[in-house]
Amino acid sequence: MDFFLVGTKLEDLKGDAIVIGVYKGMKLSHIGERLNHILEKKLTNFLKNIAFKAEVENVTFMPLEKTGFNYVLLTGLGEKEKLGPDEIRRASASILKKAKELKLKNISYENLGNDVFGERSIEWLVEGVLLGDYRFKKYKKEDEEAKVERINILTDQKWENFLKRGKFLAEAANFTRDLVNEPGNVIRPQDLANIAKEIAKKNGLKCTIYDEKKLKEKKMRGLLAVGQGSHHPPCFIHLAYVPPQPNRRFVIVGKGITFDSGGLNLKPEQFMKTMKCDKAGACAVLGIMKAISCLNPSCEIHGLIPAAENMPGGEAFRPDDILVFKNKKSVEIHNTDAEGRLILADALIYASDLKPEVIIDMATLTGACIVALGRFTSGIFSNDDKLLNEILKVGKECGEKFWPLPLDEDLKEEIKGTFGDIKNVGSRYGGAITAALFLKEFVDDKIKHWIHLDIAGPAYLEKPWKYYAEGATGVPVRTILNWLLKEDGTRS
Ligand code: BES
Ligand code: ZN
Ligand code: ZN
């Protein structure tokens, strides 16, 4: 699919369809003016008869004559006062879906939302189209879906930067989605390492892989324990983007469980299905590192991935095991299915040793977070409220939802160990919080800006939602990229 900025002169344009955005309660003469006055009445009558509500994701169409287009497609934008970036994404994506149904090849969008946001809206329109177009169809012999080949946007060519940005962000997310959607028999820990190496080679990043022997030297006890029940050994991946004179240093960490069977505390069948998604944090880190290296920011960015498969093989770690971590804290295993925090513990110790300004970890960490916030919202935890609020704001703009949960010290009691310092699970209550408190034990006190994102819900969908198809969403790639770029000053 190709995008073109084609200027604003409708008369010169031809194609299968022209796309017009409609606000709730909007006078339709406005639309008529743009097409031509003969159409106006026809369109108004048409709309009267079909009761078009103009809610976001409402779409309708009418065949056209005497113009360069065969159809006019209308997309609801909801109330003008409530229009935000995600309404624009949803509107552009629902049009794409309709265009595919109608087998249209070439569609021209008016610059949706431009009257409210100026030319930045192009970015969101493009994101909506590309995120909405995404399907994981590598293993399908037949592709049932029609393809839209050409997208025109009615705006001046000088706004090309916004088009590029929209593409850049959506492609980064879609890259991550492709990795997360790969099943556990295709992506093993070593495969994540190979993908990281490939990204590094192509994009001039530094890449270090620690194999099992090195993990022992580095005392990565959590990663070794979690990985030992699988035929496919664990590894630790360190990708680094280091510009000539870096002004700041950031670290991102992603949970890389290529499949989570639960280990000896085996998951019941309804919870095991979809557990290929347990590497979503890791794949987000890969997507972000790949994207960032194309932009040459002036800050240093490290991407860390502890990678393992959580399986119940003969060598598997067990309940009652006690692991002594590199920071001397001992952990009593109560449930082998709470494995994410164990591999992240090693990664957070390693991250702290890099002495960065900020650490952001992302992980499909707890079912409890989904219970607390629902399937569409990630939990966000931090020792820095200001940073947390910044990320909330960027997330909102990206259409990736986060909601703060507290690092409630009163709940620390829940993870106090009997024979070890701490245990790897708390009670039934506040499971997302006790997991975050566990992680905090491994973030050095000197790190003043730490963010933990529990993406267990939104990273992977069991049904389509908004512009996302069933499967991986790429959350939180767009939020973190946008935030990093903002921090770097690449975007004000
Ligand atoms: N990978 C799961 C969490 C998860 C659940 C991710 C649903 C995505 C969707 C994690 O390793 C896990 O199994 N957590 C347990 C922890 C429990 C044993 C304390 C959980 O949430 O049930
Ligand atoms: Zn688990
Ligand atoms: Zn897991």
Side-chain angles (χ1 to χ4, degrees), residues 255 257 260 262 267 271 274-275 277-278 310 335-341 364-370 424-427 431 454-457:
K255 172 177 173 183
I257 294 292
D260 185 8
K267 282 182 186 291
F271 293 127
T274 72
M275 275 306 135
C277 83
D278 218 15
N310 189 20
N335 189 320
T336 60
D337 197 10
E339 82 299 336
R341 63 199 77 184
T364 44
L365 199 63
T366 66
C369 193
I370 312 177
N424 75 331
V425 288
S427 71
D454 193 333
I455 56 172

Side-chain angles (χ1 to χ4, degrees), residues 58-312:
N58 284 170
V59 170
T60 190
F61 66 99
M62 182 179 86
L64 285 181
E65 289 152 25
K66 296 185 206 154
T67 72
F69 302 99
N70 300 326
Y71 290 97
V72 59
L73 299 180
L74 299 180
T75 184
L77 294 171
E79 285 170 44
K80 191 167 177 182
E81 300 70 44
K82 291 192 183 152
L83 188 80
D86 221 34
E87 280 69 34
I88 297 174
R89 288 186 198 96
R90 287 162 61 199
S92 69
S94 17
I95 284 290
L96 185 82
K97 192 171 162 213
K98 180 54 84 185
K100 283 181 179 176
E101 279 168 30
L102 295 171
K103 301 202 174 356
L104 309 181
K105 298 275 171 247
N106 173 333
I107 57 179
S108 301
Y109 282 83
E110 76 157 339
N111 192 350
L112 303 175
N114 165 271
D115 50 343
V116 176
F117 294 101
E119 312 304 333
R120 255 197 91 187
S121 59
I122 299 167
E123 179 179 326
W124 305 323
L125 188 161
V126 171
E127 273 186 66
V129 169
L130 288 173
L131 294 168
D133 193 38
Y134 175 87
R135 299 284 179 282
F136 185 64
K137 45 194 168 192
K138 187 172 162 190
Y139 298 99
K140 284 262 199 192
K141 215 168 33 229
E142 271 167 48
D143 184 1
E144 307 98 26
E145 252 185 12
K147 282 192 188 67
V148 176
E149 282 159 11
R150 184 183 168 114
I151 305 278
N152 296 321
I153 304 173
L154 290 160
T155 188
D156 200 283
Q157 279 214 335
K158 70 177 176 213
W159 304 116
E160 187 156 352
N161 268 350
F162 292 112
L163 163 62
K164 279 198 181 143
R165 241 194 113 85
K167 266 188 175 170
F168 170 80
L169 290 161
E171 280 165 7
N174 287 347
F175 172 81
T176 293
R177 293 166 89 182
D178 265 341
L179 296 180
V180 177
N181 282 327
E182 286 286 1
N185 63 329
V186 176
I187 294 200
R188 279 87 175 248
Q190 192 57 50
D191 300 298
L192 284 179
N194 290 338
I195 295 162
K197 276 194 243 170
E198 209 175 294
I199 292 173
K201 204 167 133 196
K202 278 199 193 133
N203 296 264
L205 299 174
K206 202 170 160 244
C207 180
T208 316
I209 311 290
Y210 300 91
D211 62 10
E212 233 173 344
K213 192 168 149 247
K214 286 267 171 52
L215 295 182
K216 282 180 190 144
E217 280 169 37
K218 292 265 168 198
K219 298 193 171 59
M220 296 213 175
R221 300 294 173 218
L223 190 51
L224 283 163
V226 172
Q228 76 197 30
S230 166
H231 283 295
H232 307 287
C235 61
F236 186 82
I237 304 165
H238 179 175
L239 274 170
Y241 166 81
V242 186
Q245 267 145 3
N247 49 1
R248 306 170 72 181
R249 182 181 296 148
F250 301 117
V251 178
I252 54 176
V253 182
K255 172 177 173 183
I257 294 292
T258 57
F259 187 74
D260 185 8
S261 71
L264 286 176
N265 293 104
L266 202 64
K267 282 182 186 291
E269 66 168 302
Q270 73 269 34
F271 293 127
M272 202 187 295
K273 172 85 175 58
T274 72
M275 275 306 135
K276 66 173 182 180
C277 83
D278 218 15
K279 60 184 180 313
C283 300
V285 166
L286 291 172
I288 294 165
M289 292 307 288
K290 178 176 188 271
I292 214 81
S293 59
C294 304
L295 293 182
N296 301 318
S298 47
C299 54
E300 192 177 313
I301 305 170
H302 297 260
L304 308 179
I305 298 173
E309 187 184 34
N310 189 20
M311 295 292 265

